[in-house]
Amino acid sequence: MQHHTSSGQQETDGESPHARTLFEAFMDHSPAITYVKDERGRYVYTNRANASRFGMPISGKTDAELFSPELARQHQLQDAKVLEEGQAQEFTETSVEDDGEHTWHTIKFPVRDVEGRRFVGAMSFDVTDRKRIEDELRKTRDQQEGHIRERTQELNQANGSLRQLSARLLGLQDEERRRIARELHDSVGQMLVALGLNLGSIEGEAQGLNPELTRALVEHRALLQDAINEVRIVSYILHPPLLDETGLASAIRWYVEGFEERSDVAVQLDVPANFSRLSQEIETALFRIMQECLTNIVRHSHSKTAGVKVTQTEEQVVFTVRDAGRGIPREKLMRIKQLSGAGVGLRGIKERVRELGGILDIESDDTGTIVTVNLPVSAIEPPITPSQGCPEEKQA
Ligand SMILES: Nc1ncnc2c1ncn2[C@@H]1O[C@H](COP(=O)(O)OP(=O)(O)O)[C@@H](O)[C@H]1O
Ligand SMILES: [Mg+2]
């Protein structure tokens, strides 16, 4: 190969003494360490950077005389690999020197002289600073990741305890409603019945009363009847005794009937005749979900019709409430699905469903809304007919 020098002279590789000194100057000024070892691992050439590293001439020495046994062995293996594969290889290693630990990045490559003898040539770069910066960066990143992991864990824990709390609150609410319903029915209800009996005795003697008192008596009877009806309705809506006694299917039928009377929404009911009993938890949850959905239909949908449907297999129960109303606005629906903007009602539904390991789906557009709840069920008992009496109550 021919080179043009700045003076315009032509030179041939290796021939000019000037080129040779220039090459040596190049090697000696190189901050990278360079050396050549023969097949037996003896240094046959080394540049100034390498010589000053050891503070003594190293020509003719082997790695065993320069390095720890471990490092020397590492070099031997590297050299053998280079010679065996006949290809350049890169290595990174650390060595302890007078001023502390150094990291070296080395490229070793096979060299052959004109007589065909084999050597290992090497260029080594001190990458201690780069390595230190990389290590620091890695450490900072690991620390940051650690912080993020901790925060995530804390958030998950907080989330978990919030969920536990809301599930517990829903459970307590169910219990409370059940208790108040029973109290109303058993104490106030019984007092009203007693009042009615007393009123009956007075009515028996009514012929002796003046017209004003007779009128008052008739009014009392009517008021009493209203009070009895009201207490029954409030207590049943709070917690229908049917739900415990004969199960979800009859409680739904009863509730929907009353709902149609109280609202002007016509409900199409689709509950299989042979619907089995489910756990008290599931029955209560589905009943409350139906109540919330029907209330939402009256309050928000403007729909005049609704549909309530329950289907059951051995593994799951699917519960659907639909209406033909104006739908949930898109934005609101998105927030509801992300749980960030749901009202208390739908949020409660979501929590109940989650607590029971089920799936909630809300579809809504300007033709109406469909809420679907899918709950896994384990053991389904055969339907209980009223003659079998009340099932045992499982208290939460
Ligand atoms: N069937 C429905 N039709 C139209 N909009 C509904 C329906 N159900 C719920 N929504 C909308 O979703 C919102 C959230 O409902 P919900 O969580 O039950 O809270 P709330 O009833 O207390 O407002 C309602 O405010 C209403 O805008
Ligand atoms: Mg609501």
Side-chain angles (χ1 to χ4, degrees):
M1 207 213 274
Q2 300 218 310
H3 299 281
H4 291 274
T5 62
S6 53
S7 62
Q9 253 179 286
Q10 280 202 344
E11 286 178 0
T12 312
D13 279 347
E15 281 175 6
S16 152
H18 178 64
R20 192 167 203 92
T21 39
L22 190 59
F23 173 72
E24 272 165 16
F26 167 75
M27 280 314 223
D28 283 340
H29 286 90
S30 159
I33 282 173
T34 59
Y35 52 81
V36 181
K37 286 188 261 181
D38 66 16
E39 275 188 278
R40 289 181 303 154
R42 284 186 200 287
Y43 286 85
V44 293
Y45 169 79
T46 170
N47 72 345
R48 196 181 288 160
N50 200 24
S52 61
R53 182 180 168 208
F54 293 102
M56 57 171 172
I58 61 167
S59 236
K61 292 200 187 317
T62 62
D63 288 325
E65 296 163 74
L66 300 169
F67 298 115
S68 68
E70 195 195 327
L71 202 53
R73 173 97 191 110
Q74 219 172 307
H75 275 292
Q76 273 170 15
L77 290 173
Q78 292 172 357
D79 296 352
K81 190 165 189 245
V82 170
L83 288 173
E84 192 182 302
E85 297 187 9
Q87 268 181 1
Q89 316 266 344
E90 295 187 31
F91 308 96
T92 302
E93 73 237 330
T94 50
S95 67
V96 181
E97 323 220 338
D98 291 346
D99 60 345
E101 201 176 78
H102 281 248
T103 304
W104 298 94
H105 188 72
T106 305
I107 302 170
K108 291 189 175 181
F109 46 92
V111 176
R112 242 176 227 281
D113 70 5
V114 280
E115 282 127 48
R117 284 178 299 196
R118 299 196 305 167
F119 299 85
V120 174
M123 299 176 101
S124 244
F125 304 88
D126 190 338
V127 293
T128 309
D129 287 344
R130 200 173 76 192
K131 170 89 174 5
R132 189 177 41 79
I133 292 167
E134 277 173 9
D135 284 351
E136 274 165 19
L137 277 177
R138 189 172 310 121
K139 215 164 89 188
T140 314
R141 205 192 50 213
D142 287 353
Q143 274 171 355
Q144 278 169 349
E145 277 171 5
H147 283 321
I148 292 171
R149 259 198 308 277
E150 267 171 40
R151 279 288 131 76
T152 313
Q153 210 179 346
E154 278 169 17
L155 266 178
N156 285 343
Q157 268 169 6
N159 241 340
S161 55
L162 258 181
R163 282 187 165 156
Q164 265 176 7
L165 180 66
S166 51
R168 176 111 186 86
L169 280 177
L170 285 169
L172 285 175
Q173 192 188 51
D174 288 339
E175 249 346 280
E176 189 76 347
R177 282 182 182 171
R178 189 190 300 260
R179 197 182 57 76
I180 296 172
R182 198 171 296 148
E183 205 100 303
L184 263 182
H185 183 267
D186 293 354
S187 67
V188 182
Q190 294 313 312
M191 282 182 218
L192 292 178
V193 169
L195 257 178
L197 290 176
N198 286 347
L199 211 55
S201 314
I202 299 170
E203 280 162 347
E205 305 292 323
Q207 60 274 43
L209 296 175
N210 66 40
E212 209 172 312
L213 281 179
T214 310
R215 224 182 15 256
L217 197 57
V218 172
E219 228 169 79
H220 271 56
R221 172 57 71 190
L223 280 173
L224 184 64
Q225 200 48 53
D226 284 352
I228 288 173
N229 289 345
E230 202 63 27
V231 165
R232 179 177 296 135
I233 288 170
V234 170
S235 122
Y236 279 21
I237 287 175
L238 274 172
H239 186 88
L242 278 177
L243 191 54
D244 297 334
E245 287 159 16
T246 55
L248 183 65
S250 33
I252 290 179
R253 284 191 203 101
W254 164 81
Y255 185 84
V256 163
E257 210 172 284
F259 174 82
E260 284 186 299
E261 278 168 25
R262 291 189 297 277
S263 67
D264 55 353
V265 178
V267 183
Q268 193 191 344
L269 193 58
D270 189 352
V271 183
N274 59 349
F275 194 83
S276 308
R277 297 258 2 213
L278 302 163
S279 72
Q280 189 194 52
E281 257 184 323
I282 292 183
E283 290 193 336
T284 307
L286 287 177
F287 186 80
R288 294 293 176 221
I289 291 170
M290 173 199 62
Q291 274 185 310
E292 179 59 37
C293 288
L294 289 179
T295 308
N296 276 352
I297 290 172
V298 173
R299 284 175 61 190
H300 309 298
S301 80
H302 295 186
S303 177
K304 292 286 162 251
T305 58
V308 174
K309 182 175 178 178
V310 202
T311 56
Q312 188 179 40
T313 66
E314 274 185 20
E315 291 91 31
Q316 62 176 13
V317 48
V318 181
F319 183 79
T320 318
V321 182
R322 66 173 72 228
D323 66 61
R326 58 179 178 177
I328 305 173
R330 255 177 75 87
E331 305 264 289
K332 203 167 208 169
L333 184 62
M334 254 157 64
R335 287 205 306 273
I336 287 169
K337 289 195 172 178
Q338 289 158 359
L339 241 196
S340 56
V344 175
L346 288 175
R347 211 180 282 212
I349 292 179
K350 204 158 186 169
E351 275 312 308
R352 285 183 192 275
V353 172
R354 205 193 52 78
E355 182 69 7
L356 295 169
I359 299 166
L360 168 68
D361 184 49
I362 305 170
E363 279 174 64
S364 191
D365 58 28
D366 56 9
T367 63
T369 302
I370 306 175
V371 176
T372 307
V373 170
N374 203 312
L375 293 182
V377 291
S378 38
I380 294 179
E381 297 142 31
I384 290 182
T385 54
S387 62
Q388 284 174 281
C390 299
E392 227 179 272
E393 274 215 339
K394 287 177 248 156
Q395 295 291 344

